[in-house]
Amino acid sequence: MTMQQLLTEKIVSRTAEVGVIGLGYVGLPLAVEFANAGFPVTGIDVQSSKVDKLNAGCSYVSDVPSNAVQRHLTSGRFRATTDFSSLATIDTVNIAVPTPLRKTKDPDMSYVVAAAEQVAAHIHPGMLVILESTTYPGTTEELLLPMFEKNGLKAGEDFFLCFSPERVDPGNPTYQTVNIPKVVGGVTAACTEIGSLFYSQALQKVVPVSSTGVAEMVKLLENTFRMINIGLVNEMALMCDSMGINVWEVIDAAATKPFGFMPFYPGPGLGGHCIPIDPFYLSWKTKQSGIEARFIELAGYINSHMPHFVVDKVQNALNDQSKPLRGSHVHVLGVAYKRDIDDVRESPALDVIHLLRKRGARVTFSDPYVHSIRVNGGDSIESSEETLRRDADCVVIVTDHAIFDYDGLVREARLIVDTRNALSGRNSPKIVRL
Ligand SMILES: NC(=O)c1ccc[n+]([C@@H]2O[C@H](COP(=O)([O-])OP(=O)(O)OC[C@H]3O[C@@H](n4cnc5c(N)ncnc54)[C@H](O)[C@@H]3O)[C@@H](O)[C@H]2O)c1
């Protein structure tokens, strides 16, 4: 029996031992889906606090209910550990560790390399390894494959290696890990085949592609598409502002066109672990072939300007009331990078707060999902009562959480700068829109 046949049997009978390295926003939901499908799952993370929480039946990812973790702990289908030696008996392993940027906007591959070194130390015949972390095209074949083949095992025969981009959208109630189509590409046809078979046991739709490079590029196309269209619409917002035109009304009317237009919305800047970061993985890689990713650089420039534009708006709105920004109390409503989630990674709210403070404003914030933040590596600021909106000279809506009482806000606040059109349909001279 070949290794492929052996692993196929284990996968189809759901006796394959599944491992997930990195139990964050991506890895934990994935681990739970495979446990839901009946596989025994071991989650491995370097943070013992996360591992302890999970083993105590407590989820820290809002899309994963604690009772799902508890159910799988009780049935024995899930356990978490910091011990990588478990990889020795694991049949499949998904790597979902962070891929941030360095300060220079170059990829920081240190987490992927550290996880891959652990896999390389325990790789054995019949193992399937799938990288899910977003990365530059070529990572799986150029970086991982040599690490895994260095002791003589051959990909596609002895072990199997794929890339499958993670497309999870935290906080999205309609699309979650289980029903987001899963693209998968292997370093050989056999790798793609077994990777597709594996995902099809737990997820609703699998989309095989011809190589790991294609699979890596799919994710970068998706995120670059969003980043550039957001950059375009942010630039439209700047243009509309200069002409006294309501950009939100323009977009809504344009979106009535039944073909050839897809609405994107302006805002205070990009946030999250994907859209502001991933396109720079692509531009870094293409630079090596002498191709400049001009759309990416331009959209990055416009998007990173938006927090400055928001702060100018606050300053102008206060000045119109004969108040200087310096010494004024500005309350930031919402600091998560998007609505109804608790994630502040790369959130534009952090830049807005930093810039407001730099210009001398006294800044407070409230966010029901975020208790404290650290701005520009400085002191930690605690979330204050939402009722501070009454005392503030200006409230800036940076994140439009559904839970906020917008009618109360319009009633009580003295001045509101709305960067998300959260107050759509409400008219008041105290509302200033982006
Ligand atoms: N969060 C999203 O919405 C999203 C969506 C699509 C793709 N992605 C991509 O998925 C990857 C993971 O993102 P995330 O949001 O889950 O990150 P995360 O920070 O929430 O989770 C990553 C986890 O990996 C752990 N970790 C770090 N180094 C490790 C190592 N060497 N071994 C084991 N564990 C390690 C961390 O402790 C953390 O728990 C990134 O490449 C990201 O770009 C994220």
Side-chain angles (χ1 to χ4, degrees):
M1 207 184 240
T2 65
M3 282 303 155
Q4 186 176 356
Q5 287 164 333
L6 207 70
L7 185 56
T8 299
E9 263 192 29
K10 284 188 183 179
I11 290 173
V12 173
S13 62
R14 307 204 173 178
T15 53
E17 296 269 343
V18 171
V20 176
I21 301 183
L23 298 171
Y25 289 93
V26 167
L28 184 58
L30 187 76
V32 168
E33 277 320 325
F34 276 96
N36 287 345
F39 287 88
V41 180
T42 302
I44 308 177
D45 203 289
V46 286
Q47 284 187 53
S48 52
S49 56
K50 284 189 172 177
V51 164
D52 292 345
K53 273 192 191 140
L54 291 173
N55 285 331
C58 183
S59 167
Y60 41 78
V61 170
S62 51
D63 290 336
V64 174
S66 289
N67 62 23
V69 177
Q70 286 154 17
R71 202 174 60 243
H72 292 311
L73 283 170
T74 312
S75 70
R77 282 212 290 270
F78 176 74
R79 73 182 185 102
T81 179
T82 54
D83 182 3
F84 285 86
S85 67
S86 338
L87 288 170
T89 53
I90 271 169
D91 298 298
T92 70
V93 60
N94 293 69
I95 303 174
V97 297
T99 42
L101 286 175
R102 297 191 189 281
K103 278 214 162 64
T104 51
K105 290 219 156 98
D106 288 351
D108 176 356
M109 298 304 291
S110 58
Y111 300 89
V112 170
V113 169
E117 276 169 353
Q118 292 291 348
V119 174
H122 297 97
I123 199 157
H124 50 80
M127 196 181 203
L128 167 65
V129 186
I130 307 177
L131 178 64
E132 294 220 3
S133 300
T134 305
T135 184
Y136 59 85
T139 303
T140 313
E141 282 205 22
E142 293 163 15
L143 190 67
L144 266 49
L145 183 61
M147 291 171 78
F148 299 154
E149 283 192 333
K150 75 169 188 286
N151 288 334
L153 294 184
K154 185 117 190 66
E157 289 172 20
D158 304 314
F159 74 98
F160 306 92
L161 177 60
C162 296
F163 181 83
S164 176
E166 181 46 59
R167 298 160 132 180
V168 72
D169 182 20
N172 186 327
T174 313
Y175 291 106
Q176 305 235 322
T177 303
V178 70
N179 62 350
I180 299 173
K182 198 85 177 101
V183 172
V184 57
V187 297
T188 69
C191 295
T192 308
E193 200 180 308
I194 202 131
S196 303
L197 178 78
F198 171 64
Y199 282 122
S200 67
Q201 308 303 307
L203 312 181
Q204 286 174 10
K205 189 173 162 61
V206 177
V207 183
V209 294
S210 63
S211 66
T212 51
V214 169
E216 288 159 341
M217 196 64 162
V218 165
K219 174 74 183 175
L220 295 175
L221 170 61
E222 291 167 3
N223 283 3
T224 304
F225 172 82
R226 278 195 69 74
M227 182 227 201
I228 286 171
N229 279 288
I230 293 169
L232 172 67
V233 85
N234 277 334
E235 191 172 61
M236 280 283 169
L238 302 182
M239 292 177 189
C240 285
D241 186 67
S242 73
M243 291 183 267
I245 293 170
N246 181 331
V247 68
W248 307 96
E249 196 183 344
V250 172
I251 297 165
D252 285 347
T256 60
K257 187 178 177 189
F259 51 87
F261 183 82
M262 179 188 283
F264 283 84
Y265 297 96
L270 289 184
H273 193 9
C274 292
I275 313 290
I277 292 178
D278 304 345
F280 291 102
Y281 269 68
L282 182 56
S283 61
W284 174 84
K285 181 70 179 173
T286 59
K287 237 176 240 161
Q288 297 173 354
S289 334
I291 295 178
E292 248 183 87
R294 290 192 212 156
F295 274 116
I296 293 174
E297 300 295 337
L298 180 60
Y301 173 78
I302 293 167
N303 291 332
S304 62
H305 173 69
M306 292 312 284
H308 295 263
F309 180 62
V310 169
V311 172
D312 286 346
K313 277 250 158 206
V314 173
Q315 181 153 18
N316 293 340
L318 283 164
N319 291 167
D320 286 346
Q321 296 193 346
S322 308
K323 283 186 198 153
L325 177 57
R326 181 166 293 282
S328 286
H329 173 194
V330 180
H331 187 72
V332 171
L333 205 57
V335 294
Y337 80 82
K338 67 174 184 176
R339 74 186 332 221
D340 302 342
I341 65 160
D342 62 0
D343 193 348
V344 293
R345 287 180 294 180
E346 310 292 325
S347 174
L350 305 178
D351 291 329
V352 169
I353 293 173
H354 173 62
L355 293 170
L356 284 168
R357 286 170 130 197
K358 230 172 118 180
R359 292 196 204 173
R362 186 166 67 80
V363 187
T364 54
F365 86 87
S366 50
D367 190 310
Y369 305 107
V370 182
H371 303 304
S372 73
I373 52 172
R374 206 171 276 284
V375 176
N376 211 27
D379 52 322
S380 146
I381 318 174
E382 306 294 314
S383 178
S384 347
E385 286 296 307
E386 207 185 309
T387 46
L388 269 181
R389 67 192 184 203
R390 260 186 253 129
D391 311 327
D393 297 298
C394 179
V395 174
V396 196
I397 302 173
V398 176
T399 313
D400 53 343
H401 291 309
I403 201 172
F404 285 138
D405 169 15
Y406 293 111
D407 289 326
L409 176 69
V410 175
R411 229 178 12 253
E412 292 173 2
R414 296 183 204 161
L415 176 66
I416 308 164
V417 172
D418 179 5
T419 70
R420 299 279 189 180
N421 204 25
L423 304 179
S424 163
R426 295 171 178 89
N427 286 316
S428 159
K430 56 184 164 185
I431 302 175
V432 175
R433 294 179 213 278
L434 192 73

